[in-house]
Amino acid sequence: LTEDEVLGAGVRAAREIASFDLAAVTVWDEDKKMHEVRAATSKGREIDDLVGARFQPNAGLVSMVVQNKFPLPYRGEYDPGHQTVLSKRLAWPKMPSLLVIPLMLHDRVLGTLILGATRRHAFGESVRPTLEVLASHLAVSLANARMVHKLETMATTDGLTGLFNKRAMLEQAEAKISSAKRFGRKLSVLVTDIDFFKRVNDTYGHDIGDQVIRGLGDVLRRQKRATDVVARFGGEEFVVLCEQTEEGGAMLLAERIREDLEKTVFTTPNGKLSVTCSIGVATLPDAGGDW
């Protein structure tokens, strides 16, 4: 159900078809025009640190495979003196056998499967067609995993701000309240909304209103700590959950948010616009024991 699970299963399946010493999977981001190494495994761990490496299209084999939608090198033989696998700055082990196969979904390339072996002629005609079939199945599974991730994101994310939505926040709140009670820790909640927001919509229109809502979302994202959870609760109302935070600490965070938004200037067709917000703070267990 996840990309990592799919890629791991693909590499394990490839090992049942052909003997190889290292394997890697790259994914291609068509919008950003960028390759990324998403999985890598090798007996001597020569390529393990390549995971996460990103590179732009170039004259290397991976880029050529994505561009031409055809496996390379032609005979599965690697010439490190004249060929680059990923990019010039990302070194690849010198092994005589190499095969880079496109992960094709219909006519679209999602990435590549890279296999390398110290044995010569490891990827001949006896295994190559089967590996290409595996790559096509891998591409379908990869696309499905991406769709699952997209649906999960849509279910928990507010479309306007990119923050958690109300449903996700309520799930987080129940879990964090249970944890706070179990370990005897403080948990604070900040509730904020924009002052006189109806006046903004009536004067400047709903597009500018949406811009202001996104602006408050950006302020909250900037000011929150790594362990805080921020959500758009509805309309112009936002909620922040602060673990292990007493009322004093929550009030300081609230003041930083209030000041940050007050300094923010929005550009509109009718001139510059500034807004303020009001924030309420409640702390468990002082303010109550449930959401």
Side-chain angles (χ1 to χ4, degrees):
L1 292 178
T2 70
E3 281 195 18
D4 289 342
E5 290 173 342
V6 169
L7 300 180
V11 171
R12 289 193 297 272
R15 198 171 291 282
E16 297 179 12
I17 300 168
S19 175
F20 55 86
D21 298 286
L22 55 82
V25 178
T26 67
V27 295
W28 166 243
D29 190 325
E30 178 66 36
D31 295 331
K32 296 180 180 178
K33 304 298 180 188
M34 188 71 69
H35 300 276
E36 181 180 348
V37 180
R38 292 296 300 272
T41 180
S42 52
K43 292 180 180 178
R45 305 180 68 86
E46 301 101 320
I47 63 170
D48 292 23
D49 59 351
L50 290 175
V51 175
R54 306 176 77 201
F55 55 99
Q56 293 178 325
N58 54 58
L61 291 171
V62 167
S63 295
M64 295 298 290
V65 166
V66 169
Q67 181 180 334
N68 297 323
K69 305 175 183 178
F70 193 80
L72 290 172
Y74 175 62
R75 297 183 182 276
E77 297 172 1
Y78 178 42
D79 179 4
H82 298 87
Q83 294 173 325
T84 302
V85 179
L86 303 175
S87 71
K88 289 184 178 180
R89 68 177 179 83
L90 298 172
W92 191 264
K94 295 179 180 180
M95 294 184 177
S97 295
L98 178 76
L99 186 60
V100 184
I101 310 172
L103 303 180
M104 298 282 298
L105 183 66
H106 306 302
D107 196 41
R108 186 161 58 98
V109 183
L110 303 184
T112 67
L113 172 64
I114 312 171
L115 303 176
T118 55
R119 180 172 61 88
R120 290 190 178 277
H121 313 300
F123 308 119
E125 290 303 318
S126 60
V127 298
R128 195 159 173 156
T130 312
L131 288 171
E132 290 181 24
V133 171
L134 169 65
S136 67
H137 284 289
L138 186 56
V140 172
S141 296
L142 189 61
N144 288 340
R146 287 179 175 179
M147 183 56 68
V148 169
H149 176 70
K150 184 177 180 180
L151 291 173
E152 288 176 345
T153 300
M154 290 172 63
T156 59
T157 305
D158 172 59
L160 182 62
T161 63
L163 299 171
F164 280 125
N165 59 19
K166 181 176 181 179
R167 170 188 164 186
M169 168 57 77
L170 291 175
E171 290 177 357
Q172 293 268 354
E174 294 299 334
K176 291 187 182 299
I177 287 172
S178 296
S179 177
K181 287 181 176 179
R182 180 181 178 186
F183 296 106
R185 296 169 177 165
K186 298 284 188 177
L187 176 70
S188 290
V189 179
L190 278 62
V191 180
T192 177
D193 64 32
I194 299 163
D195 300 326
F196 310 111
F197 184 68
K198 184 178 183 300
R199 189 183 300 169
V200 173
N201 278 336
D202 291 346
T203 305
Y204 296 92
H206 288 276
D207 287 345
I208 299 301
D210 286 348
Q211 184 181 331
V212 171
I213 289 173
R214 280 195 296 269
L216 176 53
D218 291 340
V219 167
L220 293 169
R221 193 180 282 109
R222 273 199 304 272
Q223 294 294 344
K224 83 176 191 71
R225 301 162 304 179
T227 56
D228 295 340
V229 176
V230 183
R232 182 184 176 201
F233 215 61
E236 78 280 15
E237 188 174 71
F238 290 78
V239 170
V240 185
L241 275 175
C242 305
E243 283 189 303
Q244 300 187 51
T245 304
E246 297 187 2
E247 182 178 309
M251 290 290 284
L252 287 173
L253 174 60
E255 182 60 15
R256 290 203 307 272
I257 293 167
R258 190 196 65 75
E259 289 180 350
D260 196 344
L261 182 65
E262 191 174 42
K263 294 174 184 175
T264 302
V265 178
F266 300 94
T267 303
T268 80
N270 296 333
K272 294 182 178 180
L273 168 65
S274 296
V275 297
T276 58
C277 66
S278 298
I279 305 173
V281 171
T283 302
L284 181 144
D286 310 327
D290 57 28
W291 177 250

